[in-house]
């Protein structure tokens, strides 16, 4: 069977949900996705029910990906990453906006190695926000966007006793991931005529609102 994204190569530096969810969908569509983990591994390796020695959360979001370990803090890591980027089409990351640049592997660094590279960055508040350096898991975004308040008010209006509590699913993560994936696929199509990649900066707060 031929898959629509067969031939595309993806480097997935992301962790937890927002980034890995996009990488999982790219893999499902046929892309060759390589997950790059630090020595301590993605924290979700410790989450979820373990069946046959496999933690459910991690394997749900990373099924179909290949995997390598790189310590980004080591001086030699940058050259290794550049060699991978030279052969890649897409890079996914969801660190705080200053991290990749500080490590010398931000978009400007990568496009010098490969002008066709498409980079998807997912963060809580985006790269050019006054709050860009704030770490943000989904509950923070749910709160700031008003979803937690709204769900409580809706329950009270329906006669249900309600307290402020987080949503039962990570809407901020998956919405940002889906919006990011649309941007990535649009960038792949545009690149076929321009020959140039793009940096797609997705803020979870924007996607949620």
């Amino acid at each position: 069977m031929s898959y629509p994204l067969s031939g595309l190569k993806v480097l997935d530096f992301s962790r937890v949900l927002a980034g890995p969810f996009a990488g999982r969908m790219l893999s499902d569509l046929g892309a060759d996705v390589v997950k790059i983990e630090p020595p301590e591994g993605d924290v979700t390796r410790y989450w979820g029910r373990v069946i046959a020695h496999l933690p459910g959360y991690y394997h749900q979001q990373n099924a179909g990906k290949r995997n390598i370990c790189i310590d980004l803090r080591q001086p030699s890591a940058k050259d290794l990453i550049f060699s991978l980027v030279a052969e890649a089409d897409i890079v996914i990351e969801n660190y705080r906006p200053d991290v990749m640049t500080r490590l010398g592997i931000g978009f400007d660094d990568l496009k010098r190695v490969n002008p066709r590279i498409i980079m998807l960055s997912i963060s809580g508040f985006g790269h050019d926000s006054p709050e860009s350096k704030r770490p943000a898991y989904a509950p923070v975004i749910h709160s700031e966007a008003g979803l937690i308040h709204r769900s409580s008010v809706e329950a009270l209006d329906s006669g249900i006793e309600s307290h402020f509590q987080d949503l039962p699913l990570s809407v901020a993560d998956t919405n940002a991931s889906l919006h990011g994936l649309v941007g990535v696929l649009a960038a792949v199509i545009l690149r076929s005529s321009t020959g140039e990649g793009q940096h797609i900066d997705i803020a979870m707060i924007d996607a949620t609102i």
Side-chain angles (χ1 to χ4, degrees):
M1 181 183 295
S2 177
Y3 287 85
L5 300 186
S6 294
L8 282 181
K9 296 181 179 180
V10 181
L11 300 178
D12 183 358
F13 289 84
S14 63
R15 298 124 339 119
V16 189
L17 180 55
F21 186 50
R24 165 68 195 265
M25 288 187 286
L26 288 168
S27 175
D28 287 348
L29 290 168
D32 179 8
V33 181
V34 176
K35 183 175 176 69
I36 299 171
E37 289 188 72
E40 62 272 19
D42 190 322
V43 68
T44 59
R45 284 184 176 273
Y46 305 100
W47 295 1
R49 186 178 178 187
V50 177
I51 300 175
H53 307 292
L54 301 176
Y57 194 115
Y58 176 87
H59 287 276
Q60 166 64 23
Q61 300 308 324
N62 296 287
K65 302 176 187 178
R66 296 192 288 162
N67 183 286
I68 61 173
C69 172
I70 301 177
D71 187 345
L72 300 181
R73 296 161 292 194
Q74 295 298 318
S76 58
K78 189 161 65 172
D79 289 339
L80 175 56
I81 289 166
F82 285 166
S83 68
L84 294 171
V85 167
E87 303 295 328
D89 296 286
I90 298 162
V91 168
I92 302 172
E93 62 92 11
N94 63 345
Y95 289 103
R96 289 194 303 274
D98 63 326
V99 171
M100 296 290 276
T101 300
R102 180 158 41 83
L103 292 170
I105 52 174
F107 179 67
D108 289 340
D109 304 298
L110 301 188
K111 74 177 182 179
R112 282 193 288 270
V113 175
N114 180 355
R116 293 174 57 83
I117 200 71
I118 295 165
M119 187 177 201
L120 170 61
S121 296
I122 302 175
S123 60
F125 300 95
H127 279 230
D128 59 357
S129 162
E131 299 183 299
S132 63
K133 294 184 179 180
R134 287 179 59 193
Y137 283 98
V140 173
I141 303 301
H142 296 163
S143 180
E144 298 241 3
L147 292 181
I148 292 175
H149 181 268
R150 180 179 179 180
S151 64
S152 177
V153 170
E154 290 287 333
L156 288 172
D157 287 347
S158 300
I160 302 170
E161 183 178 354
S162 176
H163 304 283
F164 293 120
Q165 59 187 18
D166 193 23
L167 306 182
L169 70 165
S170 297
V171 172
D173 285 311
T174 52
N175 271 6
S177 189
L178 289 166
H179 281 77
L181 188 62
V182 170
V184 164
L185 296 178
V188 169
I189 293 171
L190 184 62
R191 187 181 64 179
S192 65
S193 59
T194 66
E196 297 182 358
Q198 292 189 56
H199 185 198
I200 299 160
D201 174 19
I202 293 288
M204 292 163 67
I205 189 72
D206 289 344
T208 304
I209 289 173

